[in-house]
Amino acid sequence: MALNICERYIRSMESSESGTRVMTDGGTTSVGRATLLIVVSALSFGSISVLTLLTTNAGVPLLTAMAWRYVLGAVLLGLVAQAKQIRALPRKRVIQLLLIGGVGQALITYLSLRALDYIPVGPLAFLFYTYPAWVALLAAIRRTERLTPIRIFALILALTGVTIMVGAPTEKLNPIGVMLALGSALLYSAYLPALEYAQEGTPAMLSTFLLIVGAAVSFVLAALFNGELFVPRGTAIWSNIFLLALVSTVIAFLALIKGLSILGPVRTSIIATVEPFFTAVLGALVLGNQFGGSTLVGGVFIATAVLLIEWSSTRITVTA
């Protein structure tokens, strides 16, 4: 059943790749669909924290959980992917995607996790979610995307929403933790445009498969090196790992790659700030965490930014 759902989702995304992707000031169906895909991606990534916490609280080391997450994700996509399509890809493109998944994604995760050894979760979230500003700055320096007044306003709204939700750091923070958190944000701001470039002209499903395989190799090797690679026991544990693989990996990356190819890194990063809001909602529903008014107000700011970005989309992309 789950595999059939996954396959239908992949096929529906592949069929959408054949249509026009020209964006005008008035907006198009493609812009709205891409915006929805990034929201789906952010919501899927937003489940990582809760599912990972449930898994590690059950006694499974983090590296073990991540290794099985990506291995199962690669298996799910491998059952759908066509080997002849992968062999037809240029070797350079395959290597690029494997490295982005195996090095970029793994390093971002490592820096974020290491930062938690020095600073609390709240300041980490605040510092990491500065990445939309870094993405916008990088795009302006490289002159790949315009920083229009509306985009700047949407960026300010999104960052304000995140600040209201997680709170700006008020206490003195360990400089090592701050450097690690900002390092992960800066790396992610380079990761998005690199991913956009590397997957250009490649079906979203194949790009996602190669990214996940690269990440799987890195986490399996890391788990082996630390002596933490084993097969966990328990239906509840495997249910959470399976959800990590299907929702937080396969669906999350598929939606991200497809939406990114249409919207570009700047708009993608702004829209993706809905992730901490969904994480807070899911944490309240599943873990019983407190859901305060500040979270709701922050969510309104972010939702306004997303709607503003979708309404004002003006970037022109070529027809597929």
Side-chain angles (χ1 to χ4, degrees):
M1 175 66 73
L3 181 58
N4 290 337
I5 294 174
C6 180
E7 185 169 1
R8 285 198 297 270
Y9 178 79
I10 292 170
R11 297 306 180 196
S12 67
M13 291 186 64
E14 287 183 326
S15 64
S16 70
E17 292 183 6
S18 60
T20 180
R21 300 191 305 191
V22 178
M23 316 308 168
T24 65
D25 290 341
T28 66
T29 302
S30 293
V31 173
R33 181 184 297 141
T35 301
L36 180 60
L37 284 170
I38 297 303
V39 171
V40 169
S41 173
L43 300 187
S44 300
F45 280 128
S47 64
I48 292 176
S49 299
V50 173
L51 291 172
T52 300
L53 186 60
L54 290 173
T55 304
T56 54
N57 283 348
V60 179
L62 182 64
L63 284 177
T64 306
M66 292 298 102
W68 284 112
R69 167 196 172 190
Y70 283 104
V71 167
L72 283 181
V75 169
L76 287 173
L77 274 178
L79 293 174
V80 181
Q82 297 182 10
K84 62 180 181 180
Q85 288 183 315
I86 298 176
R87 288 195 296 266
L89 292 177
R91 180 173 297 181
K92 181 180 178 181
R93 180 64 52 83
V94 173
I95 293 175
Q96 285 176 335
L97 289 167
L98 287 173
L99 286 177
I100 290 174
V103 177
Q105 185 66 36
L107 192 54
I108 291 168
T109 302
Y110 174 78
L111 290 176
S112 299
L113 295 174
R114 284 288 294 167
L116 287 174
D117 293 338
Y118 302 95
I119 59 177
V121 175
L124 170 61
F126 174 83
L127 292 169
F128 179 76
Y129 279 99
T130 61
Y131 80 81
W134 300 115
V135 171
L137 180 60
L138 182 62
I141 293 174
R142 298 175 59 222
R143 297 183 179 180
T144 54
E145 290 195 58
R146 291 183 300 156
L147 272 184
T148 63
I150 291 180
R151 289 189 182 186
I152 294 174
F153 183 57
L155 176 61
I156 293 172
L157 280 176
L159 293 178
T160 301
V162 172
T163 303
I164 291 173
M165 279 194 295
V166 303
T170 55
E171 71 276 19
K172 186 176 180 180
L173 299 176
N174 188 302
I176 297 178
V178 171
M179 290 177 60
L180 289 171
L182 286 177
S184 64
L186 289 169
L187 185 59
Y188 197 70
S189 69
Y191 171 88
L192 283 178
L195 179 56
E196 181 194 32
Y197 171 78
Q199 60 84 40
E200 186 176 356
T202 304
M205 187 266 292
L206 295 183
S207 298
T208 304
F209 176 71
L210 292 171
L211 280 173
I212 293 175
V213 168
V217 171
S218 292
F219 279 108
V220 166
L221 291 177
L224 279 172
F225 180 79
N226 286 275
E228 296 180 357
L229 188 63
F230 62 91
V231 180
R233 296 182 180 180
T235 304
I237 291 176
W238 277 106
S239 296
N240 291 326
I241 292 177
F242 181 79
L243 287 174
L244 276 170
L246 178 62
V247 177
S248 306
T249 306
V250 173
I251 292 177
F253 278 107
L254 273 172
L256 172 65
I257 288 175
K258 180 57 184 171
L260 176 65
S261 67
I262 296 174
L263 296 176
V266 174
R267 286 181 292 173
T268 294
S269 64
I270 294 173
I271 296 168
T273 54
V274 301
E275 181 181 331
F277 176 74
F278 178 72
T279 300
V281 173
L282 194 61
L285 293 175
V286 178
L287 303 176
N289 294 343
Q290 187 175 5
F291 187 88
S294 60
T295 302
L296 185 59
V297 173
V300 171
F301 272 77
I302 292 171
T304 303
V306 171
L307 292 174
L308 188 60
I309 284 291
E310 197 277 335
W311 171 76
S312 63
S313 293
T314 58
R315 180 181 174 179
I316 299 178
T317 60
V318 296
T319 302

